[in-house]
Amino acid sequence: MNRNVETSLAAITSVKIGGSCLGIFMPKTNEEFIKLLKKLYDKNLPFKVIGNGTNLLFSDDFHPFFVISTRKIAKKMSKRDNLVKFSSSTTLFDAYQFCLKNGLSGFEKLASIPGNIGGAIASGASCYGESIFDNLENLTVFQDNKIKTISKNKIEKGYHNSFFLKNRFYHPEIIISANFKLKTTDPCKIQKTYLEVCSKRKQTQPFGRSFGCTFKNTTTQSAGLLIDKCGLKGQCHGGAKISEQHANFILNQNNATFEDFDFLIDLAKRKVKENFGIELEYDVEIIK
Ligand SMILES: Cc1cc2nc3c(=O)[nH]c(=O)nc-3n(C[C@H](O)[C@H](O)[C@H](O)COP(=O)(O)OP(=O)(O)OC[C@H]3O[C@@H](n4cnc5c(N)ncnc54)[C@H](O)[C@@H]3O)c2cc1C
């Protein structure tokens, strides 16, 4: 089994921040992955499974659990008619490319999100009106030391939320693969939508080390706009900076620490509360 000697969480998150943990496993096949899950379950050891690490902010402290990163697991993509099956390690971009080739619509907007299928389902990913749950049929999960199928109606889900985010380090439920029922569509139309979304992102969101949006939008207001109205665009602390392009993005500009991020996150939350009476909810998952 591939266990990183480094144990550095910064190395496996997009924002490049995080202390160490008990050990990082990087299985290469689904079989290895499941074997490892069973082993940790049997030994009653604490662990967290992560995907591409693009929605996570770990503190710089030591974290007393193991981490399994799914990013090196060989991707499996298959289809029968308009039903597609993706392993949890499949990136949303790979899923889109597979669908494009097969003239199936459902991933052309999601493809612009840098996560994988497991991470996207667990974090309830969505963008530009397309949600990972829209076409989900069922999931294969590891639960209670068994492999089970859960149908879409049994999955507790919400806006950027799901039942998998309960953050239990002992015996958590883990996504192994997912089935989606998609609509047949002209590939040119699918590609056009993908390119339009990418162009919109380029125009409105910064490039750099981040975890995407820090806070969830409220039902009526954009969190970024609220932070912007507080005059916080461009605000720096240590090596971290609130993006000048999109105030809901905080960038690791120059070897930022967790404390640098924590300061700016707290500042934005406090100012929005003071100015508008709105309690912003975290979109990023913060693990202290
Ligand atoms: C530049 C940028 C832009 C972004 N834009 C968007 C956007 O438009 N919309 C959006 O929704 N998000 C966005 N994000 C956030 C993030 O990319 C998404 O939430 C993404 O779906 C997370 O996937 P991941 O594989 O990186 O998950 P991770 O960050 O690795 O994990 C997220 C959560 O899922 C859990 N998890 C991961 N894999 C599994 C599994 N197999 N079984 C059970 N639980 C699992 C983890 O334990 C963790 O709790 C953006 C991020 C960045 C950096």
Side-chain angles (χ1 to χ4, degrees):
M1 203 67 68
N2 286 291
R3 183 160 147 195
N4 265 5
V5 270
E6 282 235 1
T7 73
S8 159
L9 293 165
I12 54 167
T13 55
S14 55
V15 72
K16 301 292 169 218
I17 290 180
S20 60
C21 63
L22 286 173
I24 299 173
F25 293 95
M26 291 202 168
K28 294 225 170 93
T29 62
N30 250 349
E31 293 68 34
E32 258 188 49
F33 181 34
I34 292 167
K35 212 165 135 188
L36 180 59
L37 291 172
K38 289 195 164 165
K39 207 166 173 177
L40 292 167
Y41 187 101
D42 285 340
K43 290 185 188 270
N44 202 24
L45 291 167
F47 69 94
K48 182 168 180 69
V49 170
I50 75 166
N52 284 353
T54 60
N55 200 36
L56 295 167
L57 176 61
F58 287 102
S59 75
D60 292 325
D61 301 326
F62 171 72
H63 296 271
F65 49 80
F66 290 95
V67 167
I68 306 177
S69 163
T70 59
R71 72 171 69 194
K72 291 211 168 140
I73 300 177
K75 291 156 196 125
K76 279 195 178 161
M77 302 181 271
S78 60
K79 94 172 216 7
R80 197 161 34 92
D81 303 323
N82 59 344
L83 203 64
V84 295
K85 182 176 183 172
F86 297 129
S87 60
S88 66
S89 59
T90 307
T91 64
L92 294 170
F93 181 72
D94 287 333
Y96 154 72
Q97 284 200 309
F98 182 84
C99 292
L100 177 65
K101 219 164 34 183
N102 289 290
L104 293 168
S105 163
F107 280 88
E108 52 271 33
K109 293 179 181 171
L110 293 168
S112 62
I113 299 175
N116 70 22
I117 290 286
I121 293 170
S123 57
S126 65
C127 65
Y128 303 103
E130 187 171 84
S131 161
I132 191 76
F133 299 127
D134 287 348
N135 302 300
L136 184 65
E137 273 300 289
N138 57 50
L139 293 176
T140 301
V141 297
F142 177 83
Q143 186 180 43
D144 304 327
N145 212 8
K146 290 189 187 84
I147 301 294
K148 298 180 183 173
T149 302
I150 315 183
S151 76
K152 60 179 174 190
N153 315 323
K154 295 266 161 66
I155 303 162
E156 284 170 44
K157 49 193 183 289
Y159 163 59
H160 292 189
N161 201 0
S162 87
F163 136 93
F164 295 96
L165 283 189
K166 283 187 183 151
N167 237 339
R168 281 176 23 218
F169 294 98
Y170 289 90
H171 305 166
E173 284 83 9
I174 303 302
I175 300 154
I176 305 294
S177 63
N179 281 307
F180 298 87
K181 199 175 187 176
L182 305 174
K183 283 176 207 80
T184 307
T185 309
D186 174 9
C188 292
K189 205 173 154 200
I190 296 173
Q191 192 176 37
K192 186 169 174 272
T193 305
Y194 168 71
L195 293 173
E196 279 168 6
V197 164
C198 288
S199 154
K200 258 191 220 165
R201 269 201 199 262
K202 260 196 191 150
Q203 282 163 28
T204 55
Q205 296 179 6
F207 180 77
R209 294 175 168 183
S210 81
F211 35 69
C213 287
T214 309
F215 299 102
K216 291 182 184 177
N217 294 326
T218 73
T219 43
T220 52
Q221 313 238 40
S222 142
L225 203 61
L226 290 170
I227 300 166
D228 185 10
K229 283 183 182 164
C230 295
L232 292 176
K233 267 189 176 170
Q235 181 85 30
C236 293
H237 190 78
K241 182 180 184 179
I242 297 182
S243 163
E244 270 154 17
Q245 206 177 350
H246 191 314
N248 206 7
F249 277 65
I250 305 179
L251 300 167
N252 180 354
Q253 290 259 112
N254 186 15
N255 293 320
T257 62
F258 175 79
E259 295 307 322
D260 298 338
F261 267 75
D262 200 35
F263 179 91
L264 291 178
I265 291 171
D266 182 60
L267 179 70
K269 204 171 186 322
R270 214 161 17 86
K271 288 286 175 196
V272 168
K273 175 79 181 167
E274 273 169 27
N275 290 320
F276 307 105
I278 294 170
E279 194 76 60
L280 288 178
E281 245 185 86
Y282 299 124
D283 203 4
V284 57
E285 188 179 329
I286 302 174
I287 300 148
K288 292 195 181 174

